[in-house]
Amino acid sequence: MNVRNLQGPALVLSLLSLLWIIVIVGLFALKPSVLSAGTITTVLQFSTILALVSLGQGMVILAGGAGIDLSVGGTVSLSAVLGMLAVKAGLSPFFLPLVCIGTGTALGAFNGVLVTKLRILPLIATLGTFFVYSGVALSLTGGSAQSGVPDWLLWWGRGVLAGIPVPFLTITIPAFAIAGVVLAWTSWGRWVYAMGFNERSARLVGIPVDRTRLILYSLSGALAGAAALFSLAWLGSGRPNIGQNLELESLTAAMLGGIAILGGRGGVGGVFAAVILLVTLKTGLLQLNVNTVWQVGIVGALLIFVLLADRFSQSWR
């Protein structure tokens, strides 16, 4: 791997750590009770959905080609709803994880087909499927939550081990660890970086660009399906609006985590740190009784700031 690709993530992690410390100190000064063991557990619990979705989003962007997946929120909502409707229709609850992740994979693959086979601009393709997936989730349920999550899944989704949520330990950390190893130490990972750095050159040297991009969109969908499964296990119902604002937050986490908007630069470690920072900030604002509308506005402002910083850094280089 290029030395610059190794140095960049290290710098991003350092900056995010500094920002996180600043946020913690600021929240503690305003409300000391924010820093409690319960708050840490809550932050990690809320981080699980966003982290899984942001991981998929980050890998899609990393591969370049104007790659982006704005459908992640709709994919989470529809996967959760279809999983619960399948159980209500008579499917064994033990197949619920397979249904959620399988549905997410299929929806992600459909995005990949639109982008790689039909050559639709990713921004337009995934924006369209976001509305389709979200609309179908709402129409199938009439906007109401679908209850009936099995007890064994609730035990997993709400379990805590030494203050750390069990899903965070068993699905979030392994997912990021595997993605980090694959991107840093395998040929396939080097293909992803090569595509983002210069897609034309990647095609000329024989890298299967379209197939790789299709796989990345499918992986993004699979991770969104895993996030949907966790939402069922944590909340105890399939909610058609559970994916609301995830497209904005996951994009912000990917950009804040050091992944270049044009691809070819960044790493998943930065995305992981950015998710923790964002959720810590939102949780603190919630405990300070800051309106959720302002929270969304702050996330949007962060996204603009990161894009401007990336543009200025490119100009400087």
Side-chain angles (χ1 to χ4, degrees):
M1 177 179 293
N2 193 302
V3 174
R4 185 176 60 182
N5 288 335
L6 293 174
Q7 292 176 338
L11 177 60
V12 168
L13 286 173
S14 299
L15 292 174
L16 288 175
S17 298
L18 178 60
L19 284 173
W20 187 75
I21 292 173
I22 293 172
V23 169
I24 292 295
V25 171
L27 292 175
F28 181 76
L30 293 172
K31 189 175 183 180
S33 60
V34 168
L35 297 182
S36 64
T39 302
I40 295 173
T41 302
T42 301
V43 167
L44 296 180
Q45 198 86 319
F46 276 104
S47 295
T48 300
I49 292 178
L50 179 58
L52 292 171
V53 172
S54 299
L55 177 58
Q57 181 80 267
M59 290 193 297
V60 168
I61 297 173
L62 192 61
I68 194 172
D69 189 355
L70 296 180
S71 72
V72 288
T75 301
V76 172
S77 297
L78 186 54
S79 297
V81 165
L82 289 179
M84 290 311 304
L85 291 178
V87 170
K88 286 188 173 183
L91 182 72
S92 171
F94 289 102
F95 290 106
L96 187 55
L98 183 62
V99 172
C100 288
I101 297 175
T103 299
T105 303
L107 297 177
F110 180 68
N111 288 334
V113 169
L114 293 179
V115 171
T116 61
K117 304 299 182 183
L118 301 182
R119 304 297 178 186
I120 300 177
L121 189 68
L123 175 68
I124 304 302
T126 58
L127 180 62
T129 53
F130 163 73
F131 286 115
V132 172
Y133 299 163
S134 300
V136 171
L138 285 170
S139 63
L140 289 176
T141 61
S144 60
Q146 303 299 303
S147 59
V149 177
D151 292 337
W152 60 268
L153 193 58
L154 293 175
W155 175 87
W156 171 73
R158 298 173 180 176
V160 177
L161 182 63
I164 302 177
V166 172
F168 192 82
L169 287 171
T170 58
I171 190 169
T172 303
I173 292 179
F176 273 84
I178 293 171
V181 169
V182 169
L183 288 174
W185 302 107
T186 68
S187 298
W188 192 81
R190 286 190 286 271
W191 288 357
V192 174
Y193 278 103
M195 288 165 54
F197 186 73
N198 191 318
E199 183 173 319
R200 184 171 180 273
S201 296
R203 290 182 184 276
L204 290 175
V205 299
I207 293 176
V209 171
D210 290 341
R211 187 176 67 191
T212 303
R213 184 160 288 131
L214 177 60
I215 292 172
L216 287 170
Y217 274 102
S218 300
L219 285 174
S220 179
L223 289 165
L229 176 66
F230 166 70
S231 75
L232 296 177
W234 181 29
L235 302 175
S237 61
R239 305 185 181 186
N241 64 341
I242 188 60
Q244 186 175 8
N245 293 328
L246 278 178
E247 63 286 341
L248 170 64
E249 293 180 0
S250 64
L251 183 59
T252 303
M255 299 291 99
L256 188 60
I259 293 182
I261 188 62
L262 298 178
R265 176 166 51 86
V268 297
V271 176
F272 183 86
V275 168
I276 300 298
L277 173 63
L278 283 173
V279 177
T280 300
L281 179 60
K282 289 185 64 180
T283 303
L285 292 174
L286 190 63
Q287 294 196 15
L288 293 173
N289 297 318
V290 176
N291 192 293
T292 54
V293 174
W294 283 105
Q295 294 179 32
V296 174
I298 290 172
V299 172
L302 272 174
L303 177 58
I304 294 174
F305 171 78
V306 171
L307 290 174
L308 288 174
D310 182 69
R311 174 62 62 86
F312 287 136
S313 67
Q314 288 184 33
S315 300
W316 181 80
R317 287 195 298 269

